[in-house]
Amino acid sequence: MDRPTLDTLVSQLAPEVLALCVRLCGNVHDAEDIAQEALVRAARSHMGFRGDSSLKTWLFRLAINAFRDHIRRRKLTASALDADLETDSESPAQMAVGRETAEIVAHAVSTLPRRQREVIALTVYEQLSTREAAEVLGISEQNVRTTAHEARSTLRRKLERLLNDTRK
Amino acid sequence: MNLGPDQTPDPLNELLRTARFPAPDSQAADRLRAVYTSERLRVRRAARNRRILIGALTTAAAVVALVLMVRSIPSGGRNEMVHTDVPPSEPNQPPTAPIVSANQPSTNRSVREPSPYERLLVARPRQVSAPPRENVPPLNAEAAELMNRLRDPLVSNRLDAARDLGAFAADPQVATRLLNLARNDPGVAREALAALSFAGDAAFAGLDSDERATLSRRMKTAAAVLAEHTRKGEPQ
């Protein structure tokens, strides 16, 4: 792939990178910072893209790495996010009174532990296969499956009321 | 949408589909593209500057290598093309490099014209490493005879000649010749130094401090040898 084509494709994929970052962070400002960092890294290390994986996978990997660095810098550890959620006085049902279900679900996803959030964002929202998600995250496919299972259990617990309402 | 490994209908999947994350403003993607493009331009400029620098360094290295190569070519090759002046050298004197005169009229020039490369060689004469040869006036007869004895390999005991030559060593002409022998002729360096030890300050004329110190040390050693030789030669 020649460099001008690569530049064009990266520009086209920029919105998808931003969307992934929004799902990982849960807010637009941090997401834009992370996406910018990922694209700057892509611009600097474009020679590092050898075409072994798809361009989208490569960009997502850069975004995930930028996200992890961002968390490390801001000390927004997964446990802190969990603590925020646990100390949230509102139950999902109570929150539903004032907020739409869609926002509650997004909040629940964005406050998952970091690794679980990454797996859900990649497999559910970015529709990557287990193999592609494993490649992006640098873990085994089995690890992806296990983490996805844990993430779904966590989400079921957090969204129990809403799920019961849906069943009714 | 990927529904997970089991692919069975799951209310959780339905619920996850409905999630509405905060939406970036409409300019966000353009800002990202602008950041990417400007960074790519910066990286490209840096790479181009790096290439220019490497090219300049390579050229400089090639020029230096060419200059070293030209300087390392023996002067004999140039003598075929140009007239050379070889000054007469004394016996036991090291051969002196021929003086190449590029502008001298060519009376015995070879039939072919020199190539541009050969002209370059002539235009940049090689520095010869041999020490400069002083223009020394002739010696008086007795000193010349002693000097010949000193350098004659058939003379059995040249230390005697050195001792006798010590009487003339203060003469700058003799001192200069002895100095040349001490520098360039290992076979008689010790005898020349021993003779020079009689010369006093004349032995050090025109020397820098390093060479003066070295020579002084060697002269002391040679003088001690000569003194020992003289002591053994005296009748008991």
Side-chain angles (χ1 to χ4, degrees):
Chain A
M1 187 183 298
D2 60 350
R3 296 303 152 196
T5 310
L6 183 67
D7 290 346
T8 307
L9 289 175
V10 170
S11 295
Q12 287 172 359
L13 286 169
E16 290 192 49
V17 173
L18 180 59
L20 171 66
C21 294
V22 169
R23 285 163 190 146
L24 291 171
C25 304
N27 74 80
V28 175
H29 295 298
D30 285 346
E32 198 168 333
D33 286 347
I34 294 167
Q36 278 192 10
E37 177 63 26
L39 289 180
V40 165
R41 290 181 188 184
R44 287 176 187 166
S45 63
H46 67 288
M47 298 295 284
F49 176 65
R50 296 185 300 272
D52 300 338
S53 56
S54 76
L55 184 62
K56 189 174 172 180
T57 306
W58 180 63
L59 283 176
F60 281 1
R61 187 160 57 231
L62 292 176
I64 290 283
N65 289 337
F67 167 64
R68 290 171 181 171
D69 291 345
H70 181 81
I71 284 182
R72 212 170 290 133
R73 275 198 301 270
R74 297 274 302 269
K75 299 187 186 306
L76 291 174
T77 58
S79 58
L81 289 171
D82 279 345
D84 287 347
L85 186 65
E86 296 301 333
T87 56
D88 200 337
S89 58
E90 288 183 306
S91 68
Q94 289 169 325
M95 289 166 67
V97 174
R99 297 164 64 183
E100 291 184 27
T101 306
E103 288 179 4
I104 296 169
V105 175
H107 179 74
V109 171
S110 298
T111 51
L112 282 172
R114 179 181 61 80
R115 176 58 62 80
Q116 294 179 16
R117 207 181 330 160
E118 291 170 356
V119 169
I120 289 295
L122 290 173
T123 56
V124 175
Y125 293 106
E126 301 303 332
Q127 300 182 19
L128 297 189
S129 67
T130 306
R131 188 183 59 77
E132 288 172 324
E135 197 176 332
V136 169
L137 296 172
I139 58 178
S140 68
E141 293 183 35
Q142 183 56 44
N143 200 340
V144 170
R145 287 191 202 96
T146 306
T147 308
H149 179 74
E150 290 169 356
R152 296 169 79 83
S153 300
T154 309
L155 286 171
R156 277 200 186 88
R157 185 168 50 79
K158 287 182 174 181
L159 302 172
E160 189 176 2
R161 294 289 179 86
L162 288 175
L163 285 169
N164 290 338
D165 291 347
T166 306
R167 286 192 190 102
K168 287 172 190 173
Chain B
M1 184 176 294
N2 186 359
L3 298 180
D6 53 1
Q7 299 291 318
T8 54
D10 184 347
L12 180 61
N13 291 329
E14 300 299 322
L15 205 54
L16 288 176
R17 278 200 191 105
T18 65
R20 192 168 66 219
F21 292 92
D25 65 78
S26 58
Q27 305 297 317
D30 291 337
R31 285 197 295 273
L32 286 178
R33 289 190 189 101
V35 166
Y36 176 77
T37 306
S38 68
E39 185 64 19
R40 282 287 295 126
L41 284 175
R42 197 192 65 74
V43 168
R44 216 174 292 160
R45 258 200 308 273
R48 191 189 59 202
N49 291 343
R50 200 161 47 240
R51 277 197 302 273
I52 290 172
L53 180 64
I54 290 171
L57 289 175
T58 308
T59 306
V63 168
V64 168
L66 182 63
V67 168
L68 290 176
M69 188 185 74
V70 167
R71 290 168 67 96
S72 66
I73 292 175
S75 58
R78 297 201 295 269
N79 294 344
E80 295 174 0
M81 262 72 66
V82 294
H83 178 76
T84 58
D85 246 341
V86 182
S89 57
E90 294 183 7
N92 280 348
Q93 286 279 350
T96 309
I99 301 168
V100 179
S101 53
N103 297 328
Q104 195 163 341
S106 57
T107 52
N108 57 347
R109 191 178 288 269
S110 60
V111 289
R112 74 177 176 88
E113 284 295 313
S115 69
Y117 178 65
E118 290 162 347
R119 284 199 193 96
L120 178 67
L121 291 178
V122 172
R124 306 185 63 160
R126 177 172 163 259
Q127 293 283 329
V128 290
S129 58
R133 183 173 182 274
E134 287 92 357
N135 191 14
V136 183
L139 295 174
N140 69 53
E142 190 177 356
E145 171 60 25
L146 287 169
M147 190 69 79
N148 286 337
R149 280 181 58 202
L150 189 75
R151 291 186 305 218
D152 189 350
L154 299 178
V155 172
S156 59
N157 200 336
R158 283 179 291 188
L159 276 173
D160 291 335
R163 187 187 54 220
D164 297 340
L165 201 52
F168 300 94
D171 182 351
Q173 298 171 20
V174 177
T176 304
R177 282 174 167 79
L178 289 172
L179 192 60
N180 282 339
L181 288 176
R183 279 170 172 162
N184 305 317
D185 195 338
V188 293
R190 188 187 62 173
E191 288 77 7
L193 285 165
L196 263 182
S197 65
F198 292 97
D201 287 342
F204 302 110
L207 302 181
D208 59 29
S209 58
D210 286 346
E211 193 175 11
R212 183 184 290 236
T214 305
L215 200 62
S216 175
R217 194 174 60 248
R218 292 174 62 198
M219 276 168 57
K220 282 176 186 166
T221 307
V225 171
L226 182 61
E228 178 68 14
H229 168 76
T230 306
R231 190 183 60 77
K232 284 180 180 172
E234 285 173 353
Q236 300 297 316

PDB file of all heavy atoms in Angstrom, chain B residues 5-35:
ATOM      1  N   PRO B   5     -20.172 -15.010  21.662  1.00  0.00           N
ATOM      2  CA  PRO B   5     -19.773 -16.342  21.213  1.00  0.00           C
ATOM      3  C   PRO B   5     -20.956 -17.288  20.985  1.00  0.00           C
ATOM      4  O   PRO B   5     -20.935 -18.069  20.047  1.00  0.00           O
ATOM      5  CB  PRO B   5     -18.886 -16.855  22.342  1.00  0.00           C
ATOM      6  CG  PRO B   5     -18.563 -15.680  23.189  1.00  0.00           C
ATOM      7  CD  PRO B   5     -19.640 -14.682  22.972  1.00  0.00           C
ATOM      8  N   ASP B   6     -21.973 -17.205  21.813  1.00  0.00           N
ATOM      9  CA  ASP B   6     -23.027 -18.218  21.699  1.00  0.00           C
ATOM     10  C   ASP B   6     -24.038 -17.883  20.607  1.00  0.00           C
ATOM     11  O   ASP B   6     -24.767 -18.741  20.137  1.00  0.00           O
ATOM     12  CB  ASP B   6     -23.739 -18.393  23.057  1.00  0.00           C
ATOM     13  CG  ASP B   6     -24.243 -17.064  23.615  1.00  0.00           C
ATOM     14  OD1 ASP B   6     -24.044 -16.027  22.936  1.00  0.00           O
ATOM     15  OD2 ASP B   6     -24.839 -17.080  24.703  1.00  0.00           O
ATOM     16  N   GLN B   7     -24.117 -16.633  20.189  1.00  0.00           N
ATOM     17  CA  GLN B   7     -25.013 -16.208  19.116  1.00  0.00           C
ATOM     18  C   GLN B   7     -26.493 -16.463  19.427  1.00  0.00           C
ATOM     19  O   GLN B   7     -27.326 -16.491  18.524  1.00  0.00           O
ATOM     20  CB  GLN B   7     -24.660 -16.917  17.791  1.00  0.00           C
ATOM     21  CG  GLN B   7     -23.256 -16.636  17.285  1.00  0.00           C
ATOM     22  CD  GLN B   7     -23.091 -15.193  16.813  1.00  0.00           C
ATOM     23  OE1 GLN B   7     -23.985 -14.666  16.161  1.00  0.00           O
ATOM     24  NE2 GLN B   7     -21.997 -14.581  17.168  1.00  0.00           N
ATOM     25  N   THR B   8     -26.830 -16.695  20.674  1.00  0.00           N
ATOM     26  CA  THR B   8     -28.245 -16.905  21.019  1.00  0.00           C
ATOM     27  C   THR B   8     -28.869 -15.562  21.339  1.00  0.00           C
ATOM     28  O   THR B   8     -28.189 -14.666  21.831  1.00  0.00           O
ATOM     29  CB  THR B   8     -28.378 -17.824  22.249  1.00  0.00           C
ATOM     30  OG1 THR B   8     -27.581 -17.269  23.307  1.00  0.00           O
ATOM     31  CG2 THR B   8     -27.903 -19.216  21.929  1.00  0.00           C
ATOM     32  N   PRO B   9     -30.151 -15.398  21.057  1.00  0.00           N
ATOM     33  CA  PRO B   9     -30.801 -14.126  21.374  1.00  0.00           C
ATOM     34  C   PRO B   9     -30.696 -13.856  22.863  1.00  0.00           C
ATOM     35  O   PRO B   9     -30.954 -14.730  23.691  1.00  0.00           O
ATOM     36  CB  PRO B   9     -32.249 -14.357  20.960  1.00  0.00           C
ATOM     37  CG  PRO B   9     -32.203 -15.494  20.008  1.00  0.00           C
ATOM     38  CD  PRO B   9     -31.046 -16.342  20.421  1.00  0.00           C
ATOM     39  N   ASP B  10     -30.297 -12.677  23.181  1.00  0.00           N
ATOM     40  CA  ASP B  10     -30.041 -12.344  24.579  1.00  0.00           C
ATOM     41  C   ASP B  10     -30.566 -10.938  24.813  1.00  0.00           C
ATOM     42  O   ASP B  10     -30.243 -10.018  24.052  1.00  0.00           O
ATOM     43  CB  ASP B  10     -28.532 -12.425  24.835  1.00  0.00           C
ATOM     44  CG  ASP B  10     -28.189 -12.197  26.297  1.00  0.00           C
ATOM     45  OD1 ASP B  10     -29.064 -11.738  27.048  1.00  0.00           O
ATOM     46  OD2 ASP B  10     -27.035 -12.468  26.660  1.00  0.00           O
ATOM     47  N   PRO B  11     -31.402 -10.749  25.842  1.00  0.00           N
ATOM     48  CA  PRO B  11     -31.903  -9.394  26.112  1.00  0.00           C
ATOM     49  C   PRO B  11     -30.780  -8.397  26.333  1.00  0.00           C
ATOM     50  O   PRO B  11     -30.924  -7.218  26.014  1.00  0.00           O
ATOM     51  CB  PRO B  11     -32.721  -9.584  27.393  1.00  0.00           C
ATOM     52  CG  PRO B  11     -33.001 -11.020  27.487  1.00  0.00           C
ATOM     53  CD  PRO B  11     -31.922 -11.752  26.771  1.00  0.00           C
ATOM     54  N   LEU B  12     -29.666  -8.871  26.863  1.00  0.00           N
ATOM     55  CA  LEU B  12     -28.543  -7.961  27.098  1.00  0.00           C
ATOM     56  C   LEU B  12     -28.035  -7.372  25.782  1.00  0.00           C
ATOM     57  O   LEU B  12     -27.716  -6.186  25.696  1.00  0.00           O
ATOM     58  CB  LEU B  12     -27.410  -8.702  27.818  1.00  0.00           C
ATOM     59  CG  LEU B  12     -26.170  -7.867  28.127  1.00  0.00           C
ATOM     60  CD1 LEU B  12     -26.509  -6.698  29.045  1.00  0.00           C
ATOM     61  CD2 LEU B  12     -25.081  -8.713  28.745  1.00  0.00           C
ATOM     62  N   ASN B  13     -27.995  -8.240  24.768  1.00  0.00           N
ATOM     63  CA  ASN B  13     -27.552  -7.729  23.465  1.00  0.00           C
ATOM     64  C   ASN B  13     -28.501  -6.650  22.957  1.00  0.00           C
ATOM     65  O   ASN B  13     -28.059  -5.632  22.398  1.00  0.00           O
ATOM     66  CB  ASN B  13     -27.460  -8.867  22.453  1.00  0.00           C
ATOM     67  CG  ASN B  13     -26.312  -9.807  22.794  1.00  0.00           C
ATOM     68  OD1 ASN B  13     -25.307  -9.379  23.348  1.00  0.00           O
ATOM     69  ND2 ASN B  13     -26.505 -11.086  22.516  1.00  0.00           N
ATOM     70  N   GLU B  14     -29.797  -6.902  23.117  1.00  0.00           N
ATOM     71  CA  GLU B  14     -30.777  -5.893  22.681  1.00  0.00           C
ATOM     72  C   GLU B  14     -30.552  -4.582  23.427  1.00  0.00           C
ATOM     73  O   GLU B  14     -30.616  -3.503  22.850  1.00  0.00           O
ATOM     74  CB  GLU B  14     -32.204  -6.401  22.945  1.00  0.00           C
ATOM     75  CG  GLU B  14     -32.537  -7.688  22.210  1.00  0.00           C
ATOM     76  CD  GLU B  14     -32.449  -7.501  20.692  1.00  0.00           C
ATOM     77  OE1 GLU B  14     -32.847  -6.419  20.209  1.00  0.00           O
ATOM     78  OE2 GLU B  14     -31.937  -8.425  20.014  1.00  0.00           O
ATOM     79  N   LEU B  15     -30.286  -4.727  24.727  1.00  0.00           N
ATOM     80  CA  LEU B  15     -30.091  -3.532  25.552  1.00  0.00           C
ATOM     81  C   LEU B  15     -28.809  -2.784  25.158  1.00  0.00           C
ATOM     82  O   LEU B  15     -28.792  -1.548  25.072  1.00  0.00           O
ATOM     83  CB  LEU B  15     -30.016  -3.965  27.019  1.00  0.00           C
ATOM     84  CG  LEU B  15     -30.411  -2.930  28.070  1.00  0.00           C
ATOM     85  CD1 LEU B  15     -31.789  -2.355  27.804  1.00  0.00           C
ATOM     86  CD2 LEU B  15     -30.368  -3.554  29.456  1.00  0.00           C
ATOM     87  N   LEU B  16     -27.765  -3.562  24.886  1.00  0.00           N
ATOM     88  CA  LEU B  16     -26.497  -2.927  24.503  1.00  0.00           C
ATOM     89  C   LEU B  16     -26.630  -2.168  23.185  1.00  0.00           C
ATOM     90  O   LEU B  16     -25.979  -1.149  22.972  1.00  0.00           O
ATOM     91  CB  LEU B  16     -25.383  -3.982  24.395  1.00  0.00           C
ATOM     92  CG  LEU B  16     -24.890  -4.575  25.718  1.00  0.00           C
ATOM     93  CD1 LEU B  16     -23.854  -5.671  25.455  1.00  0.00           C
ATOM     94  CD2 LEU B  16     -24.285  -3.510  26.611  1.00  0.00           C
ATOM     95  N   ARG B  17     -27.503  -2.689  22.311  1.00  0.00           N
ATOM     96  CA  ARG B  17     -27.707  -2.012  21.018  1.00  0.00           C
ATOM     97  C   ARG B  17     -28.286  -0.614  21.206  1.00  0.00           C
ATOM     98  O   ARG B  17     -28.062   0.257  20.393  1.00  0.00           O
ATOM     99  CB  ARG B  17     -28.676  -2.828  20.144  1.00  0.00           C
ATOM    100  CG  ARG B  17     -28.034  -3.948  19.410  1.00  0.00           C
ATOM    101  CD  ARG B  17     -28.906  -4.371  18.252  1.00  0.00           C
ATOM    102  NE  ARG B  17     -28.409  -5.618  17.687  1.00  0.00           N
ATOM    103  CZ  ARG B  17     -28.988  -6.797  17.869  1.00  0.00           C
ATOM    104  NH1 ARG B  17     -30.092  -6.878  18.577  1.00  0.00           N
ATOM    105  NH2 ARG B  17     -28.475  -7.879  17.342  1.00  0.00           N
ATOM    106  N   THR B  18     -29.035  -0.467  22.271  1.00  0.00           N
ATOM    107  CA  THR B  18     -29.717   0.815  22.451  1.00  0.00           C
ATOM    108  C   THR B  18     -28.824   1.879  23.081  1.00  0.00           C
ATOM    109  O   THR B  18     -29.242   3.031  23.194  1.00  0.00           O
ATOM    110  CB  THR B  18     -30.944   0.638  23.369  1.00  0.00           C
ATOM    111  OG1 THR B  18     -30.479   0.253  24.678  1.00  0.00           O
ATOM    112  CG2 THR B  18     -31.893  -0.419  22.837  1.00  0.00           C
ATOM    113  N   ALA B  19     -27.607   1.485  23.481  1.00  0.00           N
ATOM    114  CA  ALA B  19     -26.743   2.441  24.201  1.00  0.00           C
ATOM    115  C   ALA B  19     -26.491   3.677  23.346  1.00  0.00           C
ATOM    116  O   ALA B  19     -26.230   3.568  22.137  1.00  0.00           O
ATOM    117  CB  ALA B  19     -25.430   1.769  24.552  1.00  0.00           C
ATOM    118  N   ARG B  20     -26.603   4.805  23.979  1.00  0.00           N
ATOM    119  CA  ARG B  20     -26.314   6.052  23.250  1.00  0.00           C
ATOM    120  C   ARG B  20     -25.162   6.756  23.967  1.00  0.00           C
ATOM    121  O   ARG B  20     -25.340   7.305  25.055  1.00  0.00           O
ATOM    122  CB  ARG B  20     -27.540   6.944  23.203  1.00  0.00           C
ATOM    123  CG  ARG B  20     -27.349   8.091  22.210  1.00  0.00           C
ATOM    124  CD  ARG B  20     -28.619   8.821  21.907  1.00  0.00           C
ATOM    125  NE  ARG B  20     -29.137   9.525  23.076  1.00  0.00           N
ATOM    126  CZ  ARG B  20     -30.429   9.611  23.393  1.00  0.00           C
ATOM    127  NH1 ARG B  20     -31.338   9.010  22.647  1.00  0.00           N
ATOM    128  NH2 ARG B  20     -30.822  10.284  24.463  1.00  0.00           N
ATOM    129  N   PHE B  21     -24.029   6.725  23.326  1.00  0.00           N
ATOM    130  CA  PHE B  21     -22.842   7.367  23.890  1.00  0.00           C
ATOM    131  C   PHE B  21     -22.844   8.846  23.505  1.00  0.00           C
ATOM    132  O   PHE B  21     -23.512   9.244  22.540  1.00  0.00           O
ATOM    133  CB  PHE B  21     -21.581   6.677  23.355  1.00  0.00           C
ATOM    134  CG  PHE B  21     -21.408   5.271  23.856  1.00  0.00           C
ATOM    135  CD1 PHE B  21     -21.910   4.191  23.142  1.00  0.00           C
ATOM    136  CD2 PHE B  21     -20.764   5.027  25.055  1.00  0.00           C
ATOM    137  CE1 PHE B  21     -21.764   2.900  23.610  1.00  0.00           C
ATOM    138  CE2 PHE B  21     -20.610   3.730  25.530  1.00  0.00           C
ATOM    139  CZ  PHE B  21     -21.122   2.663  24.809  1.00  0.00           C
ATOM    140  N   PRO B  22     -22.094   9.637  24.250  1.00  0.00           N
ATOM    141  CA  PRO B  22     -22.036  11.061  23.901  1.00  0.00           C
ATOM    142  C   PRO B  22     -21.555  11.224  22.460  1.00  0.00           C
ATOM    143  O   PRO B  22     -20.634  10.529  22.018  1.00  0.00           O
ATOM    144  CB  PRO B  22     -21.018  11.634  24.883  1.00  0.00           C
ATOM    145  CG  PRO B  22     -20.903  10.658  25.969  1.00  0.00           C
ATOM    146  CD  PRO B  22     -21.268   9.320  25.429  1.00  0.00           C
ATOM    147  N   ALA B  23     -22.165  12.129  21.734  1.00  0.00           N
ATOM    148  CA  ALA B  23     -21.813  12.317  20.323  1.00  0.00           C
ATOM    149  C   ALA B  23     -20.831  13.471  20.188  1.00  0.00           C
ATOM    150  O   ALA B  23     -21.077  14.554  20.721  1.00  0.00           O
ATOM    151  CB  ALA B  23     -23.064  12.592  19.508  1.00  0.00           C
ATOM    152  N   PRO B  24     -19.708  13.237  19.501  1.00  0.00           N
ATOM    153  CA  PRO B  24     -18.789  14.349  19.254  1.00  0.00           C
ATOM    154  C   PRO B  24     -19.421  15.377  18.312  1.00  0.00           C
ATOM    155  O   PRO B  24     -20.327  15.028  17.552  1.00  0.00           O
ATOM    156  CB  PRO B  24     -17.587  13.675  18.598  1.00  0.00           C
ATOM    157  CG  PRO B  24     -17.946  12.268  18.364  1.00  0.00           C
ATOM    158  CD  PRO B  24     -19.284  11.980  18.916  1.00  0.00           C
ATOM    159  N   ASP B  25     -18.919  16.605  18.355  1.00  0.00           N
ATOM    160  CA  ASP B  25     -19.496  17.608  17.444  1.00  0.00           C
ATOM    161  C   ASP B  25     -19.083  17.312  16.011  1.00  0.00           C
ATOM    162  O   ASP B  25     -18.175  16.510  15.760  1.00  0.00           O
ATOM    163  CB  ASP B  25     -19.083  19.019  17.886  1.00  0.00           C
ATOM    164  CG  ASP B  25     -17.599  19.228  17.760  1.00  0.00           C
ATOM    165  OD1 ASP B  25     -17.120  19.446  16.649  1.00  0.00           O
ATOM    166  OD2 ASP B  25     -16.907  19.138  18.806  1.00  0.00           O
ATOM    167  N   SER B  26     -19.734  17.976  15.103  1.00  0.00           N
ATOM    168  CA  SER B  26     -19.562  17.631  13.688  1.00  0.00           C
ATOM    169  C   SER B  26     -18.154  17.953  13.173  1.00  0.00           C
ATOM    170  O   SER B  26     -17.728  17.406  12.151  1.00  0.00           O
ATOM    171  CB  SER B  26     -20.598  18.379  12.849  1.00  0.00           C
ATOM    172  OG  SER B  26     -20.445  19.768  13.066  1.00  0.00           O
ATOM    173  N   GLN B  27     -17.433  18.829  13.857  1.00  0.00           N
ATOM    174  CA  GLN B  27     -16.099  19.213  13.395  1.00  0.00           C
ATOM    175  C   GLN B  27     -15.008  18.304  13.960  1.00  0.00           C
ATOM    176  O   GLN B  27     -13.844  18.447  13.575  1.00  0.00           O
ATOM    177  CB  GLN B  27     -15.792  20.655  13.831  1.00  0.00           C
ATOM    178  CG  GLN B  27     -16.819  21.686  13.402  1.00  0.00           C
ATOM    179  CD  GLN B  27     -16.889  21.793  11.878  1.00  0.00           C
ATOM    180  OE1 GLN B  27     -15.854  21.811  11.222  1.00  0.00           O
ATOM    181  NE2 GLN B  27     -18.099  21.832  11.336  1.00  0.00           N
ATOM    182  N   ALA B  28     -15.368  17.403  14.869  1.00  0.00           N
ATOM    183  CA  ALA B  28     -14.335  16.616  15.559  1.00  0.00           C
ATOM    184  C   ALA B  28     -13.514  15.782  14.580  1.00  0.00           C
ATOM    185  O   ALA B  28     -12.277  15.738  14.663  1.00  0.00           O
ATOM    186  CB  ALA B  28     -14.976  15.725  16.610  1.00  0.00           C
ATOM    187  N   ALA B  29     -14.222  15.116  13.642  1.00  0.00           N
ATOM    188  CA  ALA B  29     -13.498  14.270  12.686  1.00  0.00           C
ATOM    189  C   ALA B  29     -12.567  15.101  11.816  1.00  0.00           C
ATOM    190  O   ALA B  29     -11.435  14.684  11.518  1.00  0.00           O
ATOM    191  CB  ALA B  29     -14.494  13.510  11.819  1.00  0.00           C
ATOM    192  N   ASP B  30     -13.019  16.310  11.424  1.00  0.00           N
ATOM    193  CA  ASP B  30     -12.157  17.183  10.613  1.00  0.00           C
ATOM    194  C   ASP B  30     -10.923  17.614  11.407  1.00  0.00           C
ATOM    195  O   ASP B  30      -9.822  17.688  10.850  1.00  0.00           O
ATOM    196  CB  ASP B  30     -12.945  18.422  10.170  1.00  0.00           C
ATOM    197  CG  ASP B  30     -14.025  18.055   9.159  1.00  0.00           C
ATOM    198  OD1 ASP B  30     -13.878  16.998   8.513  1.00  0.00           O
ATOM    199  OD2 ASP B  30     -15.013  18.799   9.046  1.00  0.00           O
ATOM    200  N   ARG B  31     -11.135  17.885  12.688  1.00  0.00           N
ATOM    201  CA  ARG B  31      -9.980  18.267  13.508  1.00  0.00           C
ATOM    202  C   ARG B  31      -8.966  17.119  13.578  1.00  0.00           C
ATOM    203  O   ARG B  31      -7.761  17.341  13.500  1.00  0.00           O
ATOM    204  CB  ARG B  31     -10.442  18.642  14.920  1.00  0.00           C
ATOM    205  CG  ARG B  31     -11.106  20.005  15.004  1.00  0.00           C
ATOM    206  CD  ARG B  31     -11.159  20.489  16.455  1.00  0.00           C
ATOM    207  NE  ARG B  31     -11.988  19.650  17.283  1.00  0.00           N
ATOM    208  CZ  ARG B  31     -13.316  19.804  17.426  1.00  0.00           C
ATOM    209  NH1 ARG B  31     -13.933  20.779  16.777  1.00  0.00           N
ATOM    210  NH2 ARG B  31     -14.014  19.006  18.202  1.00  0.00           N
ATOM    211  N   LEU B  32      -9.496  15.895  13.719  1.00  0.00           N
ATOM    212  CA  LEU B  32      -8.590  14.736  13.774  1.00  0.00           C
ATOM    213  C   LEU B  32      -7.812  14.592  12.466  1.00  0.00           C
ATOM    214  O   LEU B  32      -6.600  14.341  12.473  1.00  0.00           O
ATOM    215  CB  LEU B  32      -9.387  13.457  14.031  1.00  0.00           C
ATOM    216  CG  LEU B  32      -9.917  13.262  15.443  1.00  0.00           C
ATOM    217  CD1 LEU B  32     -10.716  11.966  15.521  1.00  0.00           C
ATOM    218  CD2 LEU B  32      -8.774  13.224  16.443  1.00  0.00           C
ATOM    219  N   ARG B  33      -8.522  14.756  11.337  1.00  0.00           N
ATOM    220  CA  ARG B  33      -7.846  14.642  10.041  1.00  0.00           C
ATOM    221  C   ARG B  33      -6.761  15.725   9.912  1.00  0.00           C
ATOM    222  O   ARG B  33      -5.667  15.455   9.399  1.00  0.00           O
ATOM    223  CB  ARG B  33      -8.861  14.780   8.905  1.00  0.00           C
ATOM    224  CG  ARG B  33      -9.785  13.591   8.773  1.00  0.00           C
ATOM    225  CD  ARG B  33     -10.611  13.658   7.499  1.00  0.00           C
ATOM    226  NE  ARG B  33     -11.628  12.634   7.509  1.00  0.00           N
ATOM    227  CZ  ARG B  33     -12.903  12.859   7.812  1.00  0.00           C
ATOM    228  NH1 ARG B  33     -13.325  14.079   8.115  1.00  0.00           N
ATOM    229  NH2 ARG B  33     -13.766  11.864   7.809  1.00  0.00           N
ATOM    230  N   ALA B  34      -7.085  16.916  10.381  1.00  0.00           N
ATOM    231  CA  ALA B  34      -6.097  18.012  10.293  1.00  0.00           C
ATOM    232  C   ALA B  34      -4.865  17.692  11.135  1.00  0.00           C
ATOM    233  O   ALA B  34      -3.727  17.927  10.711  1.00  0.00           O
ATOM    234  CB  ALA B  34      -6.737  19.316  10.757  1.00  0.00           C
ATOM    235  N   VAL B  35      -5.097  17.134  12.322  1.00  0.00           N
ATOM    236  CA  VAL B  35      -3.967  16.766  13.184  1.00  0.00           C
ATOM    237  C   VAL B  35      -3.101  15.719  12.493  1.00  0.00           C
ATOM    238  O   VAL B  35      -1.865  15.824  12.454  1.00  0.00           O
ATOM    239  CB  VAL B  35      -4.485  16.225  14.534  1.00  0.00           C
ATOM    240  CG1 VAL B  35      -3.372  15.520  15.298  1.00  0.00           C
ATOM    241  CG2 VAL B  35      -5.044  17.358  15.371  1.00  0.00           C
TER     242      VAL B  35
END
